[in-house]
């Protein structure tokens, strides 16, 4: 993805569960997210021979026995690292369930969010699964800032819906109750996300003398740190992440969400355009776990059940 063409959230979806429903994993959130190293944990899958959907995979993936997944593993509760350095969260759990259907391991590799699609195109990863919003710009490889094509697009296997939220220090909202209240303020966002896109769009509307200052960071943990220290007035991220931060940071004493979530859209697993067989295998596996009920159990574990989809589709983002 290019900076803004790899945004985290969007495609027809309902709001995710409120902050109180977000599960506290009791895990240590790590801030390092740009090392591009493999995560030592491997989401377990059953053997190829016994897996019900193994035959749908490309032969090279079956022979390799794994699907390499690019992910920004600092976005709790969707994906983050536990105290042992293992990838945990909603996406890793769903990936493990997909692996059982396909008979391979889905191995998460850590990278900065705005470089994941670039890594996918270059062959560093087989897929990208990182709370990534499926939208037309990403499908077509278009930079939303310029409207120009900057690379080959990707296909998405959609699996969840979520929106974008703003949060502030608790008890210090600075009069912010939505995007239109940000002129004259400072906001922290993760680079290359929908939050970043929305902030840029809002900044263009601000009158002279009330500039919206945008501070982009490599990962969401850095944005939270900046807000916590008082360096900015607000931060923005996908609703499940904002809600998790509100519930867990400082024992729930650091942040509060303000206003309503916006830009509800689908999360999708990104697959290179040429890899249609892999794409279709992942879609079949996702629909299999939706049908079996395992999908619903995983979403409930992470408080994401309100974003559930009834069926996985390809490129459902607008």
């Amino acid at each position: 993805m290019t900076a803004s063409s790899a945004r985290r959230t969007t495609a027809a979806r309902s709001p995710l569960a409120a902050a109180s429903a977000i599960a506290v994993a009791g895990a240590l959130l790590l801030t390092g997210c740009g090392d591009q190293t493999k995560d030592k944990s491997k989401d377990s899958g059953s053997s190829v021979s016994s897996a019900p959907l193994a035959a749908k995979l490309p032969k090279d993936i079956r022979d390799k026995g794994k699907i390499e997944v690019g992910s920004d593993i600092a976005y709790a509760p969707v994906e983050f690292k536990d105290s042992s350095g293992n990838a945990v969260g909603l996406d890793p759990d769903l990936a493990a369930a997909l692996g059982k259907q396909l008979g391979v391991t889905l191995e998460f590799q850590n990278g900065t969010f705005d470089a994941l699609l670039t890594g996918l195109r270059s062959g560093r990863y087989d897929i990208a699964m990182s709370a990534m919003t499926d939208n037309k710009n990403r499908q077509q490889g278009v930079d939303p800032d310029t409207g120009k094509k900057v690379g080959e697009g990707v296909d998405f296997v959609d699996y969840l819906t979520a929106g974008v939220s703003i949060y502030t220090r608790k008890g210090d909202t600075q009069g912010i109750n939505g995007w239109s209240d940000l002129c004259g303020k400072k906001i922290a966002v993760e680079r290359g996300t929908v939050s970043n896109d929305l902030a840029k769009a809002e900044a263009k509307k601000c009158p002279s003398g009330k500039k919206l200052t945008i501070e982009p960071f490599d990962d969401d943990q850095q944005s939270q740190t900046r807000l916590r220290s008082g360096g900015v007035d607000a931060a923005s991220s996908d609703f499940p992440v904002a809600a998790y931060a509100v519930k867990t940071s400082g024992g729930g004493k650091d942040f509060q969400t303000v206003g309503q979530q916006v830009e509800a859209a689908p999360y999708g697993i990104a697959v290179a355009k040429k890899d249609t067989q892999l794409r279709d295998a992942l879609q079949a596996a996702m629909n299999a776990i939706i049908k079996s009920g395992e999908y619903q159990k995983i979403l409930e574990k992470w408080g994401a059940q309100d974003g559930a989809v009834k069926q996985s589709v390809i490129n459902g983002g607008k």
Side-chain angles (χ1 to χ4, degrees):
M1 66 182 95
T2 60
S4 292
S5 66
R7 84 196 233 198
R8 275 191 181 275
T9 74
T10 38
R13 42 181 154 171
S14 60
L16 293 183
S20 60
I22 298 293
V24 180
L28 175 64
L29 305 185
L30 303 185
T31 59
C33 191
D35 54 16
Q36 301 288 352
T37 58
K38 292 184 180 180
D39 189 275
K40 298 303 182 181
S41 69
K42 296 183 180 180
D43 296 297
S44 58
S46 55
S47 67
V48 174
S49 60
S50 62
L53 298 178
K56 290 185 174 292
L57 282 172
K59 184 178 184 300
D60 62 328
I61 295 289
R62 293 200 306 270
D63 291 346
K64 186 168 62 171
K66 65 180 179 180
I67 297 172
E68 294 175 289
V69 184
S71 188
D72 173 9
I73 314 175
Y75 212 60
V78 186
E79 51 261 321
F80 59 106
K81 290 186 177 183
D82 65 14
S83 57
S84 299
N86 297 319
V88 295
L90 175 65
D91 279 354
D93 281 359
L94 288 173
L98 297 178
K100 293 175 185 176
Q101 292 291 324
L102 297 168
V104 293
T105 296
L106 275 73
E107 181 179 278
F108 278 68
Q109 298 186 22
N110 198 17
T112 53
F113 184 74
D114 62 351
L116 293 181
L117 292 189
T118 301
L120 177 61
R121 295 186 190 107
S122 69
R124 179 188 294 273
Y125 318 120
D126 296 313
I127 64 175
M129 188 175 187
S130 191
M132 187 176 291
T133 298
D134 170 10
N135 58 49
K136 292 297 183 184
N137 284 333
R138 288 178 179 155
Q139 293 170 22
Q140 299 168 2
V142 172
D143 184 334
D145 288 337
T146 64
K148 295 181 179 179
K149 191 171 179 64
V150 293
E152 184 181 19
V154 297
D155 285 336
F156 285 98
V157 178
D158 295 343
Y159 64 96
L160 192 74
T161 61
V164 179
S165 291
I166 299 172
Y167 56 104
T168 67
R169 289 180 298 280
K170 194 164 188 175
D172 185 22
T173 67
Q174 298 287 312
I176 299 169
N177 194 44
W179 290 90
S180 61
D181 300 320
L182 289 172
C183 293
K185 310 294 185 183
K186 295 181 180 180
I187 188 169
V189 296
E190 181 174 355
R191 189 176 287 109
T193 62
V194 174
S195 293
N196 198 358
D197 292 346
L198 289 172
K200 290 177 183 177
E202 196 61 42
K204 294 177 181 178
K205 303 175 187 177
C206 292
S208 177
K210 292 194 69 176
K211 177 183 177 182
L212 167 56
T213 301
I214 304 167
E215 295 193 11
F217 294 91
D218 285 340
D219 64 59
D220 198 68
Q221 294 301 307
Q222 294 173 4
S223 294
Q224 292 179 25
T225 299
R226 182 66 168 158
L227 176 60
R228 193 181 295 111
S229 70
V232 293
D233 302 300
S236 175
S237 56
D238 292 359
F239 174 75
V241 176
Y244 188 89
V246 166
K247 186 172 182 64
T248 61
S249 181
K253 297 179 180 179
D254 287 346
F255 306 131
Q256 68 180 80
T257 53
V258 293
Q260 300 296 314
Q261 61 174 313
V262 299
E263 292 286 306
Y267 281 173
I269 301 171
V271 186
K273 288 285 189 184
K274 63 181 176 62
D275 292 335
T276 55
Q277 187 177 356
L278 175 58
R279 177 200 68 192
D280 293 347
L282 288 165
Q283 182 192 23
M286 188 65 72
N287 280 323
I289 66 171
I290 290 173
K291 184 177 180 180
S292 72
E294 187 171 9
Y295 168 86
Q296 186 67 24
K297 290 178 181 178
I298 292 170
L299 265 59
E300 289 175 356
K301 173 183 175 181
W302 296 104
Q305 62 270 20
D306 284 355
V309 297
K310 294 182 178 180
Q311 183 180 22
S312 174
V313 301
I314 303 297
N315 294 335
K318 306 300 182 184

